Amino acid sequence: MNAHRIRNGELPVLKSMDDSEGPSEFYFLEQGDPNKVVSAIVELCTEIIPEAFSFDPMRDVQVLTPMHKGLVGTTHLNQVLQNALNPNPVMVETTGTTFKLGDKVMHLKNNYQKDVFNGDIGTINAVDIKEQLFSVDYYGRTVNYDFTETDEVSLAYAISVHKSQGSEYPAVIVPIMVQHYVLLQRNLLYTAITRGKNLVIIIGTKKALTIALKNDMPKKRLSGLAYRLMQN
């Protein structure tokens, strides 16, 4: 219902998590402070969702955010969620990123030799410091990486909405903030919430939601296609 409302530019029906009417599959948490949004996302992943909905935070919950930069961007959220969800001390140190045994990771570009592709999400299931190798389990299939190939993967506790296209997850958490102004678009919001199969939680402000709903400009493409067809 809310997906259709968003597609039509209408504000979704917003239900808070402390609503006494019983469980729902779509919630909205009003919060305008980016630091508190980050804290709320951590609490949702580590406590609330596993306890209330019995979802595994590593396997079933996916955070989707419009941007990479900022407090509620993928880079910072991945660092925070890695610390909260994966205490494993075995790690691979690379430039700008630390990967740990047990981390949730995403492959970033098609690699036909390894038979793994852009957007595939897996779990680091082995690290060999001596041989400088680590392995990732993708849907039951293990792919090996040399430490020099860490640029082919990234942490995937939080990913961009763009990277989530074509995928589904049992539960999604979507921060929508005015700080995301450049990327607040109706089609992006629609894509984000339709990735959730059983549970969607939006956290942010109604102002940001309204901005996204009103911004339907990406739908209008000035390709000149009609003119070119008439020329032929």
Side-chain angles (χ1 to χ4, degrees):
M1 178 189 70
N2 276 336
H4 285 299
R5 291 180 68 88
I6 288 171
R7 193 173 186 181
N8 293 329
E10 302 171 11
L11 195 69
V13 176
L14 303 177
K15 184 175 181 180
S16 66
M17 296 198 76
D18 56 4
D19 196 308
S20 60
E21 293 182 5
S24 176
E25 57 187 22
F26 193 106
Y27 293 99
F28 176 74
L29 278 65
E30 180 85 34
Q31 183 53 256
D33 184 330
N35 285 295
K36 292 182 179 179
V37 168
V38 173
S39 298
I41 290 173
V42 171
E43 186 179 8
L44 285 167
C45 290
T46 58
E47 299 177 27
I48 296 175
I49 292 178
E51 292 174 7
F53 301 95
S54 300
F55 286 136
D56 182 328
M58 298 288 278
R59 184 184 66 247
D60 300 328
V61 181
Q62 185 61 60
V63 178
L64 305 177
T65 182
M67 298 185 74
H68 294 292
K69 297 180 180 179
L71 286 175
V72 286
T74 59
T75 302
H76 182 249
L77 284 174
N78 271 317
Q79 293 172 351
V80 172
L81 289 170
Q82 181 191 51
N83 290 334
L85 294 170
N86 186 7
N88 202 308
V90 180
M91 61 181 64
V92 180
E93 296 281 0
T94 65
T95 304
T97 305
T98 298
F99 295 101
K100 297 180 180 181
L101 181 65
D103 268 341
K104 184 178 184 180
V105 296
M106 172 183 280
H107 190 82
L108 298 176
K109 53 187 177 182
N110 294 341
N111 187 321
Y112 296 96
Q113 290 181 323
K114 295 182 184 294
D115 195 29
V116 62
F117 304 97
N118 182 18
D120 285 350
I121 291 180
T123 303
I124 296 179
N125 61 359
V127 175
D128 190 325
I129 303 296
K130 183 178 179 181
E131 296 295 329
Q132 299 282 285
L133 297 171
F134 68 99
S135 303
V136 179
D137 180 349
Y138 292 105
Y139 321 114
R141 189 173 65 86
T142 296
V143 176
N144 297 317
Y145 295 87
D146 186 271
F147 280 10
T148 61
E149 298 175 308
T150 52
D151 62 330
E152 293 193 21
V153 297
S154 69
L155 294 175
Y157 299 97
I159 65 174
S160 68
V161 176
H162 174 74
K163 281 286 189 181
S164 75
Q165 293 185 77
S167 300
E168 284 186 320
Y169 315 94
V172 298
I173 302 170
V174 186
I176 296 292
M177 309 288 293
V178 291
Q179 288 85 349
H180 296 150
Y181 186 86
V182 176
L183 291 173
L184 289 180
Q185 301 163 0
R186 189 190 304 177
N187 64 336
L188 182 142
L189 179 59
Y190 176 80
T191 297
I193 71 160
T194 52
R195 300 311 92 195
K197 295 169 66 176
N198 306 105
L199 177 66
V200 175
I201 299 175
I202 294 178
I203 178 168
T205 64
K206 291 179 182 177
K207 180 179 180 180
L209 269 178
T210 302
I211 292 171
L213 290 171
K214 289 182 177 180
N215 183 6
D216 201 27
M217 287 302 293
K219 190 174 181 180
K220 301 175 182 178
R221 299 182 180 179
L222 305 178
S223 65
L225 179 60
Y227 173 79
R228 294 177 186 179
L229 289 173
M230 288 189 290
Q231 298 307 302
N232 295 323

